[in-house]
Amino acid sequence: MNTRLTFAALAIAGLSFASHAATINTPQPYQLLLVDGEKTKHSALSSVHSAEVGAGKHQFVLEYVADFSTRQNIRVMEGDPVIINLETDADSDLSLQYQKPNSYQQAREFLRDQAAQITVIDKRTGQPVAAEIYTIHRPAGLDLTRGIQDYLKENNKAFSGRTDAAVAAAEAKFGAAPVDADSLEMLKHWWSTADKDTQRAFQIWAIQQQ
């Protein structure tokens, strides 16, 4: 089905569903690097272990980092990035479930196939949530998140931003029409480079155009 997903429609859709938040928690040794293609506020001194998102499709990028160092040896385990694609309800309370390694050797074994050992559960029910979970090779370079973003884009695995909720809101506002892909990508580029105040001002402007 062809849909018209203008930037204004996506902005309005984001406002429409902002009041309903799902949560995901990734306790240590995992931390969140990217949520829906956007870098979290993690740094060398501060890690991020939770995020709130609206109902719909989402992509989370995680990293395993654990320190098993002793006085004799420095043993910091860093796993390949884990990609999780799933769809949430508005009130989902998601968390990771896996057998946590307790030693350096256990961590080495775990990281050989960590994606196969991770399950996402909804803590409201204790039941697993359908999710696509896989790893990618750890990108070279100092900017890990940029390397991950570039890899996902090059392999057509990046988060598209076209959630079902956003599509429905866009169709309700504008009807169905072919997408101008070039214009959409340019608008998404300017949105991603704008600061929060500018994004908020644009959202207000977009609503006023209706």
Side-chain angles (χ1 to χ4, degrees), residues 1 3-5 9-10 13 161-173 175:
M1 174 173 51
T3 57
R4 180 183 178 188
L5 286 176
L10 290 174
R162 297 187 179 189
T163 64
D164 292 343
V167 170
E171 288 183 339
K173 289 286 183 179

Side-chain angles (χ1 to χ4, degrees), residues 67-80:
D67 189 351
F68 295 99
S69 298
T70 65
R71 291 183 178 180
Q72 293 76 30
N73 298 294
I74 296 176
R75 291 179 168 178
V76 177
M77 296 297 296
E78 294 180 325
D80 286 332

